[in-house]
Amino acid sequence: MSISILAIESSCDETSAAVCTDGKILSNIIANQKVHEQYGGVVPELASRAHIQNIVPVVDAALSSINCDLSSIDAFAFTQSPGLIGSLLVGSQFAKSLALAMKKPLIAVHHLQAHVLANLIDEPRPAFPFLCLTVSGGHTQIVLCESPSKMKVIGETIDDAAGEAFDKSAKLLGLPYPGGPLIDKYAREGNPKRFHFPEPQIPELNFSFSGLKTSILYFLQNAGKSHVYKEESIATEVEQKKFIEENLDDLCASIQARIVTILLNKLKKAAVETRVKNICIGGGVSANSGLRSAFEQTGRENHWNTFIPAFEYCTDNAAMIAITAYYKYLQKDFSDLTVTASARGTW
Ligand code: KG4
Ligand code: ZN
């Protein structure tokens, strides 16, 4: 008997619905919320309202695009945590209502576990155990994954996430939100060795990105006049703007290169310590072309088997919720209808 799951993702500013049958993704519809651009970041209240507007058409499209109707669905899944609580509540209540109406099981999924298991969507799939570097707008983690249900965080950021480092650096360069993809775009034309930003010395497998942001700020305030990072501005605002304009590609390439080396140096350490050779990346920042190619290169040098999800499964999407829910279905790991969404949520 085949198993079909309808999954909903609404943890932040993407409303998404996907259908998977026997672990194969048949549809994955994503509605991006443009409303936040003008505010330079996600506004939680506006995100919840946009989810409410989007959820019916998005779920409808996920079903109708594959000529499927609700009666063919065996279970309903949703992102339970972590995320913006108002956003999570929209997807969770919608999934619960469908499960109640259709008298089918409900499956609650952890968003970060789903970013890891996005690597199981397409062939070739990593064999267990594998390591996953999960890099998103809110999290940066190294996860040791022994089975779809047995995962352990062995390293994480002590302050900003890698996506935040991209977005905050982009803001300093005057780029709109979300700046990560724009840094990626300009970096393609730039020289990554032109400017040097320091690498933080953080113990064990943990990361820190807040110092990088500060060093970029001081560097821009100097407008390239000095490589000593000083707190006081020695360049005028006009000089700073001109410096950014004239050096945007090299600045983006140098910032991106530093973020990528911070990430990959810790991933190499994790691979040595765990002796695991199957290594994956996931989360929004794994869409970054610099990270993707440096990760492949590091993999070749260290004899890893490397895995990267397809672009559409890197940033937030319901396909990764569906695949995680499929493995939970096999374990009969269902939730009752009183389960609630939670902004933080434990593993
Ligand atoms: O996983 P995701 O879609 O949402 C969260 O769970 O947070 O990740 C969003 C983050 C944002 O910070 C965004 O700027 C970053 O992923 N991002 C990128 C790229 N595409 C998305 N960062 C760098 N380069 C990219 N190409
Ligand atoms: Zn995410």
Side-chain angles (χ1 to χ4, degrees):
M1 194 195 80
S2 73
I3 300 157
S4 291
I5 296 172
L6 171 68
I8 295 169
E9 154 64 33
S10 70
S11 64
C12 191
D13 60 342
E14 263 99 25
T15 318
S16 181
V19 175
C20 94
T21 296
D22 296 336
K24 191 169 184 294
I25 301 299
L26 303 183
S27 63
N28 180 43
I29 306 293
I30 303 169
N32 298 303
Q33 302 180 0
K34 294 275 167 242
V35 62
H36 308 287
E37 260 171 33
Q38 59 189 301
Y39 300 101
V42 177
V43 183
E45 167 78 18
L46 297 179
S48 324
R49 285 165 187 257
H51 284 305
I52 286 171
Q53 277 181 343
N54 292 341
I55 196 137
V56 171
V58 164
V59 169
D60 194 37
L63 291 165
S64 59
S65 61
I66 52 166
N67 293 321
C68 177
D69 62 40
L70 283 175
S71 60
S72 322
I73 300 295
D74 301 294
F76 295 91
F78 68 98
T79 305
Q80 183 192 12
S81 64
L84 301 171
I85 191 64
S87 293
L88 289 164
L89 284 170
V90 178
S92 64
Q93 291 306 110
F94 201 84
K96 280 155 79 169
S97 308
L98 287 172
L100 178 68
M102 302 307 293
K103 299 187 175 55
K104 290 288 160 63
L106 179 70
I107 303 175
V109 172
H110 193 287
H111 183 85
L112 292 166
Q113 292 183 346
H115 271 307
V116 173
L117 297 187
N119 282 285
L120 300 185
I121 293 177
D122 289 326
E123 303 267 7
R125 298 186 179 92
F128 295 100
F130 63 78
L131 287 178
C132 182
L133 171 71
T134 312
V135 272
S136 73
H139 296 83
T140 298
Q141 299 182 328
I142 300 178
V143 180
L144 174 61
C145 190
E146 289 177 23
S147 76
S149 57
K150 198 168 175 214
M151 295 185 205
K152 192 176 161 202
V153 179
I154 59 172
E156 61 190 328
T157 182
I158 58 168
D159 43 51
D160 290 350
E164 264 177 297
F166 271 105
D167 296 339
K168 288 180 177 174
S169 306
K171 202 169 183 176
L172 292 174
L173 297 172
L175 301 173
Y177 179 86
L182 290 170
I183 292 205
D184 190 352
K185 180 179 142 199
Y186 293 116
R188 282 167 217 231
E189 310 299 323
N191 173 3
K193 296 203 170 121
R194 171 92 187 281
F195 303 113
H196 179 81
F197 298 105
E199 180 168 5
Q201 300 305 314
I202 305 298
E204 299 168 352
L205 297 174
N206 294 326
F207 304 89
S208 166
F209 289 100
S210 63
L212 175 66
K213 181 191 64 193
T214 312
S215 69
I216 295 167
L217 174 71
Y218 293 165
F219 182 70
L220 294 175
Q221 285 175 343
N222 292 336
K225 288 184 176 177
S226 161
H227 280 271
V228 181
Y229 301 108
K230 290 200 185 120
E231 264 186 67
E232 77 275 16
S233 218
I234 61 169
T236 64
E237 264 187 43
V238 176
E239 285 173 322
Q240 289 178 40
K241 270 202 167 154
K242 188 162 174 274
F243 176 73
I244 292 171
E245 248 172 57
E246 287 172 354
N247 299 286
L248 187 59
D249 294 346
D250 290 347
L251 282 165
C252 288
S254 303
I255 292 167
Q256 178 171 295
R258 174 50 77 216
I259 296 174
V260 168
T261 50
I262 293 173
L263 293 171
L264 292 182
N265 283 345
K266 284 297 166 107
L267 190 56
K268 278 195 264 185
K269 190 168 190 277
V272 170
E273 285 181 13
T274 58
R275 297 189 191 172
V276 170
K277 289 280 183 195
N278 296 326
I279 320 243
C280 311
I281 55 177
V285 179
S286 64
N288 180 269
S289 57
L291 177 60
R292 290 167 90 94
S293 59
F295 171 64
E296 299 279 22
Q297 175 67 24
T298 307
R300 281 191 291 276
E301 286 163 10
N302 292 277
H303 310 288
W304 297 347
N305 305 312
T306 53
F307 303 87
I308 311 180
F311 272 106
E312 63 174 314
Y313 306 137
C314 289
T315 46
D316 287 348
N317 67 88
M320 67 183 193
I321 306 301
I323 194 84
T324 307
Y326 171 68
Y327 288 101
K328 287 192 146 201
Y329 188 103
L330 297 179
Q331 301 288 317
K332 302 256 176 296
D333 185 357
F334 302 136
S335 293
D336 66 43
L337 292 174
T338 60
V339 67
T340 52
S342 122
R344 292 195 159 266
T346 50
W347 279 70

